[in-house]
Amino acid sequence: MNADGLIRKDVLIVDDEEPIRTMVARVLSRYNLACDTAPDGLAALDRLETTIYSVMLLDLMMPRLDGIGVVEKLSDRKMPSDERPIVIIMTAYAESADLRVSADIVQAVISKPFDIQELGGLVSDCVAMRRVLQDEQLEISV
């Protein structure tokens, strides 16, 4: 928990397809990563009100608020860099996605179908990197 009372978790999986959310969460749990899921962008933004995630796996094509909309909202938010999740886009439409507005937010684009073990390794590495940075910031502030 941080000074504002927000919970810290490893990964938020945002995809409108429940089987994808379940499969990815199951695989990431094998890496000992704590995951939450959201079926669309609005639900993801709601979760960000109470929880700081190290990584957000984000589908582009979703109802209510799509991935581009989530990235735009993240860009508009005033939040410390250690509280902004590392965003990895998961999409079958990577070639048509206009991600220019999000170069400072989106760290990678993974094309569907993806290799689930490679995704697990990538996310695990990103979470580990975020934990090291958070530990360093705690040492500096003490």
Side-chain angles (χ1 to χ4, degrees):
M1 201 174 286
N2 77 349
D4 295 329
L6 297 174
I7 299 166
R8 288 195 180 269
K9 278 205 169 173
D10 297 321
V11 184
L12 176 60
I13 304 160
V14 187
D15 197 299
D16 60 323
E17 295 183 45
E18 191 274 331
I20 290 176
R21 293 192 310 267
T22 301
M23 174 187 60
V24 172
R26 188 172 295 139
V27 168
L28 294 180
S29 72
R30 294 182 193 146
Y31 288 85
N32 295 317
L33 299 176
C35 300
D36 284 339
T37 63
D40 59 51
L42 289 179
L45 293 175
D46 285 346
R47 284 177 180 64
L48 290 173
E49 294 297 321
T50 60
T51 308
I52 297 169
Y53 295 96
S54 295
V55 175
M56 178 188 293
L57 293 173
L58 182 64
D59 187 23
L60 280 184
M61 305 295 287
M62 296 180 292
R64 297 198 318 153
L65 182 64
D66 64 11
I68 296 294
V70 172
V71 170
E72 289 171 350
K73 298 281 187 195
L74 283 174
S75 294
D76 292 342
R77 284 187 175 194
K78 303 294 184 233
M79 57 192 336
S81 60
D82 69 322
E83 292 184 9
R84 179 178 286 155
I86 296 168
V87 176
I88 300 172
I89 299 287
M90 306 180 301
T91 184
Y93 306 102
E95 64 281 351
S96 64
D98 182 9
L99 299 173
R100 286 173 284 149
V101 297
S102 60
D104 62 327
I105 304 286
V106 176
Q107 300 302 309
V109 178
I110 306 292
S111 295
K112 290 179 182 177
F114 46 79
D115 181 299
I116 191 68
Q117 298 306 322
E118 285 181 26
L119 180 66
L122 173 64
V123 172
S124 179
D125 290 347
C126 288
V127 169
M129 179 185 68
R130 178 57 63 96
R131 287 177 182 163
V132 167
L133 292 174
Q134 288 168 346
D135 290 345
E136 288 174 358
Q137 287 179 346
L138 282 174
E139 289 175 10
I140 292 169
S141 67
V142 173

